[in-house]
Amino acid sequence: MKLEPGPKIRILLLLAISFFAGAAVMVVELAAARILTPHFGQSVFVWTNVIGVILASVAAGNYLGGLMADRARSLKPLFAVLALAGALCLAVPGLIRRVPPFFLGDGLQLEEAFSLLVRGSFATTIIVFAPPVLLLGMALPFLVKSAAQAYARVGRASGSIYAASTIGSITGTFL
């Protein structure tokens, strides 16, 4: 199926948004692990919490984004969601100074510390990093819907959007 110039530009824009959303998710995930290190260490438990919370946030975002995309008549709500995700990412430095101390008290005994580090890193990841990633996850259903309208083929549209997101995630990982 050959696309006219207008739909080609639209598809390229949708693929670019997908690419950058995928990259942003991985940048947030890797940054989360590094940002949590001074407070909770970098154990396998902290990494497990970060990876698990990020994946759950993407899945929840995909689901909620699908609901929202079905109701939306344009991509305007997507742009608002992405702007809010960006604002939440900018809030991370301020939040990370306030949230971990809430979970880590003074004078911890060694027996108490491990449990608090695991639970604290999990809770902090949910509070600080899950919201922007959930919002980024909402992008893909919007993009698939819009691409399917341009391609008139859902399989090709979804495959292209998810491929662009995955390539973005790979790029974000190496950046």
Side-chain angles (χ1 to χ4, degrees):
M1 172 181 198
K2 190 169 182 176
L3 295 173
E4 297 300 316
K8 280 184 185 176
I9 292 171
R10 181 176 182 88
I11 292 294
L12 289 175
L13 174 64
L14 297 173
L15 293 173
I17 293 169
S18 180
F19 175 89
F20 287 111
V25 167
M26 290 309 298
V27 167
V28 169
E29 181 173 354
L30 292 170
R34 297 293 298 153
I35 290 169
L36 292 174
T37 296
H39 305 282
F40 302 106
Q42 58 183 47
S43 72
V44 70
F45 301 104
V46 172
W47 271 99
T48 299
N49 287 338
V50 169
I51 293 168
V53 167
I54 296 299
L55 289 173
S57 300
V58 169
N62 287 166
Y63 179 77
L64 294 173
L67 295 176
M68 201 170 170
D70 281 342
R71 293 186 190 128
R73 298 185 188 271
S74 72
L75 289 177
K76 287 181 184 177
L78 169 63
F79 298 134
V81 163
L82 292 175
L84 182 56
L88 290 173
C89 286
L90 291 174
V92 166
L95 289 171
I96 206 66
R97 283 192 294 271
R98 291 176 179 84
V99 175
F102 180 78
F103 296 103
L104 300 172
D106 291 331
L108 283 176
Q109 298 298 316
L110 187 57
E111 319 62 72
E112 299 170 345
F114 179 74
S115 175
L116 285 176
L117 292 175
V118 172
R119 287 183 300 185
S121 67
F122 181 73
T124 300
T125 303
I126 289 173
I127 293 166
V128 176
F129 300 104
V133 173
L134 181 138
L135 294 170
L136 289 166
M138 292 175 72
L140 293 181
F142 274 94
L143 299 171
V144 168
K145 178 184 175 186
S146 188
Q149 291 167 346
Y151 276 129
R153 294 183 179 170
V154 175
R156 182 172 179 190
S158 62
S160 297
I161 294 298
Y162 277 90
S165 176
T166 302
I167 292 167
S169 293
I170 293 166
T171 303
T173 299
F174 286 108
L175 289 178

